[in-house]
Amino acid sequence: MYTDEQLYNCQIPLQKQKYEDEKLKLQPIDCWIFILLSPLTFFGSSRIIYQFLKNTKLFGIPGDSVFVITITNGIESAVQFSTAIYVLVTDEAPMHNAFCEVNANVKQITGLATSIVFMISNLNIFVYAAYPLALIYNALESTARILRIFNYSLLALILLIVILGEKIVSTTLNGICAISATDSITWDLIISLSYLFVFLLFATMSVLYAITFKKLIPKFSTMRQARGQYLRYYQMFIGFSITMKLLLGIFSGINLLNCYIFLSAQLQVFGTLQNFTQALCILGQTIIIFKDPSFNLLPSHSQTSDNNTVNDNQEISLQQFNVLEQLHKEMKKTQVTSMLAGVQILRRQKQEDVIQYRDLVITEDQDGSGSNSSQGDLSELMEAMSQPFTIEEIEECLVTNLNNQVLKEKLNIDQEIEVFSMRCILYAPKIFNYFITIDNIDIDDCFDLIKNSSKIDQFTGPDGGKSGEFFFFSYNNQLIIKTMRQSEVNTYKKRLYNFATYQVNNPLSLLNKIYGMYTFEREEQSNSRVHFLIMKNISLGIPRSQILRTYDMKGSEYDREVLIKKPSSDLSQMTLKDIDFFKIEQQLWIDESIYKKLNQYLISDSIFLEKQKLIDYSLLVMIIDWNQKEEDLQKHLDGQKMNIIPSIKEKGVLFIVNQIYYHIAIIDYLQQWNVNKSLERKTKKIIKMNIQLDTSAQEPDIYGKRFQEKLINRIVPLK
């Protein structure tokens, strides 16, 4: 134990004077704590790391965080063990040696490692605690990306500080080398209090996350096992970490105050308690991770010959690779089921239940237009058109409540199907019903829960491009549900009257048809809404195997080539872009009698979108071999002469009749020019060092003219 005089001298290094070799070295009891506990942590961490590297399915969410925490715990245990051995053998504090400083070229090895792993470990524990909230708000992937950015940035920052700084690594009060950049009692007390504050905040947030998670993840039979399994070990890990970190902060604070104020040899026991708590913390975390069945690290010794039990075990083992992701998938499946059920129930609402929506859901102006008019930008085109709708019809909506009881009563489904409790809103029902009727669309059949059951079971929530929205295809592939951002809802709501009027007056328009816009609000999560569209799938239910090539074109050449990155890929399995089209197809090979009409309608649609101040829309061209379904095609040709056009260049597999058709539509037309799009364009130009760069994002008039001149007039050139 130190004398009071020696203890008082712990202020010396903080006043930028050198340590004496006897000061602040680990006590024998601290050394033996590290020697006994650290190997257990190290070997346990090594086993977990081995399992992760052996089975890459363990990575993901929360596997990434757990893996990083395990690595940092392993490094920290190695530092503790080697420091303890060094102190016992040499009987001196680890100062001017490999632990704190070697020479000008190789310096501060152990201190640097300790500081890096300490900060990164705590960051990952904090993010691990936030995963339930990320799950609820559908932000798991973005959370994982942010975590990786933080890890790399923090590592780079600490390395930069050590490279540029001088003598910033020294022996701390508990005898372990680490970064120590303070030189005053004021700053040391601020850091100590900040440490306590951060972990008290961390503890509070973790408890709130767990409560929120329990509240918003329903205890459905499909989720009950995964939900309970994840919560049990999540709460155990977070609760243990909170307790240990809080104790660590208290002991560290007392140790610091003793150094500056109390100067009591009796209080030196808190230095030992600090080291014991830290060693126990990383050992306990390792044990909890090792026992967590979510990661399947413990070998199973139970075998059974019962087929049902074997199947159940196989199903559970699939879930065990990543319980949080499994919960995420189950949440999305339940969300899709709720969407389909809500659509069917809203479709059965009586017309007298229609109410005004103008003050019901969306009142904020988030699309950057600066206009609150529900009509949006009216153009002179409207003056010469018949206007079959009224503004009042545009501003109507149907509202209903959905829960499991309502589902059973209104849809008469015998199977066990579970939905979220939510409020469902259908906008402008009379308007959308008009287009549904004239196009002879059976939405009830397309989204029938029983017929879509296999689709729902397979659903994992694929991304809908860069936006991160997801698509769900009806069982017959004729309709699509696509989620929307708030800005898209506002954009379409303001222009719905224009779109409806334009499409009534232009029945051969190639704007992909939208058959409904909906908003769902969960009762437990009313501040988070899900918006989605129902729209036509232009492949018209053709199996994926018969879609030869798909092109998504914008009229731009910047970053609009796919095959340059994947030259030997199967063309039917990817979405190609502008440059790919002109290299492979050159143009649309259709009968001359159709060229002029197709060009005319595409130009007209583009002008309409330009006048609505919209950008970033695409021309989708699918080349489809109808094969044996040629007879099914005939019912589509009369009403969709411009959307489905036979090719005069390619023949079908039977070479008897012309079975290759172009399916054409303009899609994704709800993007408005705003500040974000302007910044996107400028950023790309700066990155490429080219002020003339023809980026995809452009002002509406420039985008429209480019779409017409560099795309439409090239793929359907007028002769």
Side-chain angles (χ1 to χ4, degrees):
M1 301 295 286
Y2 296 133
T3 65
D4 288 347
E5 182 182 357
Q6 287 175 325
L7 192 62
Y8 180 79
N9 285 337
C10 71
Q11 296 181 66
I12 292 175
L14 298 176
Q15 296 167 353
K16 295 186 177 180
Q17 298 181 31
K18 292 184 178 181
Y19 276 114
E20 296 178 20
D21 288 347
E22 305 299 324
K23 306 297 187 289
L24 300 180
K25 68 182 179 183
L26 287 173
Q27 299 302 300
I29 187 173
D30 300 53
C31 293
W32 286 110
I33 287 172
F34 285 156
I35 289 172
L36 292 174
L37 298 185
S38 297
L40 299 176
T41 304
F42 182 81
F43 289 117
S45 299
S46 301
R47 174 63 187 276
I48 294 171
I49 293 169
Y50 170 76
Q51 289 292 108
F52 267 82
L53 297 177
K54 181 181 177 183
N55 182 5
T56 55
K57 290 183 180 180
L58 294 173
F59 287 100
I61 298 173
D64 286 351
S65 282
V66 171
F67 183 70
V68 173
I69 292 169
T70 302
I71 288 178
T72 56
N73 286 350
I75 294 173
E76 193 166 353
S77 65
V79 169
Q80 290 173 348
F81 183 80
S82 56
T83 302
I85 294 295
Y86 178 87
V87 171
L88 285 178
V89 171
T90 63
D91 193 30
E92 65 178 19
M95 292 166 46
H96 304 295
N97 47 53
F99 288 91
C100 279
E101 183 174 358
V102 179
N103 53 50
N105 298 319
V106 183
K107 62 179 183 177
Q108 306 163 338
I109 298 173
T110 303
L112 176 60
T114 304
S115 300
I116 290 175
V117 300
F118 178 78
M119 297 178 73
I120 291 180
S121 175
N122 283 295
L123 171 67
N124 280 270
I125 293 170
F126 186 81
V127 176
Y128 179 83
Y131 277 145
L133 205 63
L135 166 70
I136 290 163
Y137 289 100
N138 196 25
L140 286 177
E141 293 181 6
S142 58
T143 304
R145 283 196 298 272
I146 292 171
L147 174 64
R148 294 189 188 104
I149 292 171
F150 266 119
N151 280 335
Y152 290 130
S153 301
L154 192 59
L155 178 61
L157 178 62
I158 295 174
L159 286 172
L160 186 64
I161 291 172
V162 170
I163 292 171
L164 299 179
E166 287 218 13
K167 297 188 180 297
I168 64 170
V169 170
S170 60
T171 309
T172 59
L173 296 181
N174 63 323
I176 299 290
C177 276
I179 291 177
S180 177
T182 64
D183 58 4
S184 72
I185 183 173
T186 303
W187 278 108
D188 279 331
L189 289 174
I190 289 174
I191 291 173
S192 180
L193 291 173
S194 298
Y195 181 92
L196 283 172
F197 172 77
V198 167
F199 278 101
L200 285 172
L201 179 64
F202 166 65
T204 304
M205 291 179 67
S206 299
V207 171
L208 291 176
Y209 290 152
I211 293 172
T212 306
F213 187 81
K214 285 183 175 180
K215 180 181 178 183
L216 297 183
I217 303 293
K219 213 172 182 180
F220 293 162
S221 58
T222 53
M223 302 182 194
R224 187 175 293 116
Q225 181 176 355
R227 175 184 182 271
Q229 179 176 289
Y230 177 73
L231 267 179
R232 182 165 58 253
Y233 285 90
Y234 167 83
Q235 290 173 321
M236 189 184 302
F237 183 90
I238 296 301
F240 177 79
S241 297
I242 288 172
T243 304
M244 292 293 104
K245 296 293 183 179
L246 185 59
L247 290 174
L248 190 61
I250 293 172
F251 297 150
S252 176
I254 294 174
N255 201 21
L256 183 64
L257 291 173
N258 191 40
C259 176
Y260 281 111
I261 300 172
F262 303 133
L263 305 177
S264 170
Q266 294 180 345
L267 292 179
Q268 241 189 291
V269 67
F270 286 99
T272 299
L273 289 175
Q274 181 180 347
N275 285 328
F276 175 71
T277 302
Q278 183 61 20
L280 188 62
C281 177
I282 60 176
L283 176 60
Q285 288 175 344
T286 303
I287 292 172
I288 294 171
I289 292 171
F290 199 78
K291 293 178 65 177
D292 189 343
S294 303
F295 301 105
N296 205 24
L297 300 173
L298 290 173
S300 176
H301 300 291
S302 58
Q303 300 291 334
T304 177
S305 60
D306 182 66
N307 290 334
N308 292 332
T309 304
V310 170
N311 291 335
D312 289 343
N313 286 340
Q314 289 175 347
E315 183 178 352
I316 292 171
S317 66
L318 290 175
Q319 295 181 9
Q320 285 176 342
F321 283 124
N322 199 321
V323 177
L324 197 61
E325 284 191 348
Q326 178 65 23
L327 274 172
H328 194 210
K329 291 175 183 178
E330 292 296 337
M331 286 280 286
K332 284 196 170 184
K333 289 177 185 177
T334 305
Q335 179 177 308
V336 170
T337 302
S338 303
M339 287 179 177
L340 303 189
V343 168
Q344 288 185 281
I345 291 174
L346 281 169
R347 296 275 304 155
R348 299 182 186 189
Q349 290 285 94
K350 298 177 181 179
Q351 286 300 317
E352 53 264 31
D353 294 331
V354 168
I355 64 173
Q356 293 292 306
Y357 78 35
R358 64 179 66 183
D359 297 320
L360 181 63
V361 177
I362 304 165
T363 57
E364 67 273 23
D365 186 83
Q366 295 184 357
D367 60 6
S369 67
S371 169
N372 290 316
S373 167
S374 61
Q375 295 187 38
D377 300 305
L378 292 174
S379 69
E380 64 271 14
L381 290 174
M382 295 299 168
E383 297 175 2
M385 292 181 174
S386 63
Q387 299 182 25
F389 310 118
T390 65
I391 296 299
E392 288 72 23
E393 288 175 326
I394 295 294
E395 293 180 342
E396 291 174 346
C397 74
L398 282 171
V399 181
T400 189
N401 291 320
L402 174 66
N403 53 48
N404 289 315
Q405 185 62 33
V406 172
L407 177 70
K408 293 177 182 177
E409 291 175 358
K410 294 198 174 183
L411 297 186
N412 297 320
I413 297 175
D414 296 330
Q415 297 183 17
E416 183 182 356
I417 296 176
E418 293 165 319
V419 295
F420 292 129
S421 295
M422 57 174 56
R423 182 171 69 157
C424 313
I425 304 164
L426 165 61
Y427 300 98
K430 294 178 183 177
I431 308 303
F432 288 120
N433 192 58
Y434 172 85
F435 292 108
I436 289 169
T437 302
I438 63 173
D439 288 352
N440 195 27
I441 302 297
D442 190 346
I443 287 185
D444 279 357
D445 177 71
C446 288
F447 293 125
D448 181 274
L449 283 174
I450 304 304
K451 293 180 179 179
N452 281 282
S453 58
S454 60
K455 278 270 188 179
I456 295 171
D457 289 340
Q458 298 167 10
F459 183 75
T460 57
D463 285 344
K466 291 188 293 184
S467 67
E469 309 299 331
F470 69 77
F471 293 116
F472 177 81
F473 293 82
S474 63
Y475 80 95
N476 53 17
N477 284 330
Q478 292 188 2
L479 297 178
I480 303 171
I481 284 179
K482 179 182 180 290
T483 54
M484 309 169 67
R485 296 190 299 273
Q486 179 74 63
S487 60
E488 292 176 316
V489 175
N490 290 350
T491 298
Y492 191 51
K493 180 188 117 175
K494 291 180 179 180
R495 293 160 180 78
L496 182 52
Y497 180 82
N498 290 9
F499 273 98
T501 304
Y502 178 80
Q503 289 181 305
V504 166
N505 286 273
N506 295 273
L508 296 182
S509 166
L510 286 104
L511 297 177
N512 198 35
K513 284 283 184 67
I514 293 175
Y515 294 120
M517 183 170 72
Y518 300 79
T519 291
F520 282 2
E521 298 176 349
R522 282 185 60 184
E523 288 183 1
E524 311 93 332
Q525 196 180 347
S526 58
N527 63 329
S528 178
R529 304 183 182 109
V530 176
H531 310 291
F532 64 92
L533 293 173
I534 290 178
M535 59 186 183
K536 181 196 296 183
N537 181 5
I538 74 166
S539 71
L540 298 175
I542 286 295
R544 184 73 190 176
S545 59
Q546 292 176 226
I547 301 176
L548 306 181
R549 295 178 295 282
T550 301
Y551 296 93
D552 181 301
M553 297 180 285
K554 296 179 181 291
S556 170
E557 294 186 355
Y558 171 69
D559 197 24
R560 302 298 297 170
E561 185 175 10
V562 175
L563 290 180
I564 194 172
K565 301 173 184 176
K566 303 175 182 178
S568 60
S569 302
D570 181 358
L571 299 186
S572 66
Q573 300 300 313
M574 60 177 62
T575 300
L576 304 168
K577 296 183 180 180
D578 301 59
I579 297 176
D580 303 310
F581 179 90
F582 293 116
K583 284 184 176 181
I584 299 172
E585 316 291 344
Q586 288 85 51
Q587 64 179 68
L588 294 180
W589 301 95
I590 57 180
D591 192 270
E592 290 186 11
S593 62
I594 306 176
Y595 258 108
K596 186 175 181 180
K597 289 183 180 179
L598 179 60
N599 182 285
Q600 174 187 340
Y601 282 110
L602 285 171
I603 294 289
S604 175
D605 289 342
S606 178
I607 291 173
F608 171 75
L609 294 176
E610 181 183 332
K611 289 181 179 294
Q612 301 308 306
K613 308 298 182 186
L614 299 174
I615 64 166
D616 222 22
Y617 41 89
S618 301
L619 181 66
L620 186 67
V621 176
M622 303 178 81
I623 302 176
I624 296 178
D625 184 352
W626 276 78
N627 200 358
Q628 300 298 328
K629 293 199 172 187
E630 178 81 13
E631 64 279 4
D632 298 335
L633 174 62
Q634 300 308 316
K635 64 182 180 182
H636 298 289
L637 290 180
D638 290 340
Q640 303 183 65
K641 292 178 181 177
M642 291 296 104
N643 295 91
I644 308 173
I645 305 175
S647 169
I648 61 173
K649 184 178 182 181
E650 290 184 271
K651 300 294 182 181
V653 293
L654 299 181
F655 297 99
I656 299 172
V657 292
N658 192 339
Q659 294 174 315
I660 302 298
Y661 288 81
Y662 296 109
H663 288 230
I664 308 169
I666 295 177
I667 63 170
D668 296 339
Y669 45 74
L670 297 182
Q671 291 293 316
Q672 192 170 10
W673 177 257
N674 53 29
V675 174
N676 290 337
K677 290 294 181 181
S678 177
L679 288 174
E680 176 187 332
R681 182 182 64 176
K682 292 175 181 176
T683 302
K684 289 179 179 178
K685 288 184 177 182
I686 291 171
I687 291 173
K688 290 295 181 179
M689 301 293 288
N690 182 2
I691 196 67
Q692 303 298 325
L693 188 66
D694 187 24
T695 60
S696 176
Q698 298 285 347
E699 292 93 332
D701 56 336
I702 298 176
Y703 191 95
K705 287 179 174 58
R706 184 184 67 186
F707 193 80
Q708 296 159 31
E709 295 171 3
K710 294 189 176 181
L711 180 59
I712 297 173
N713 289 336
R714 286 186 67 184
I715 66 171
V716 280
L718 295 177
K719 299 180 180 179

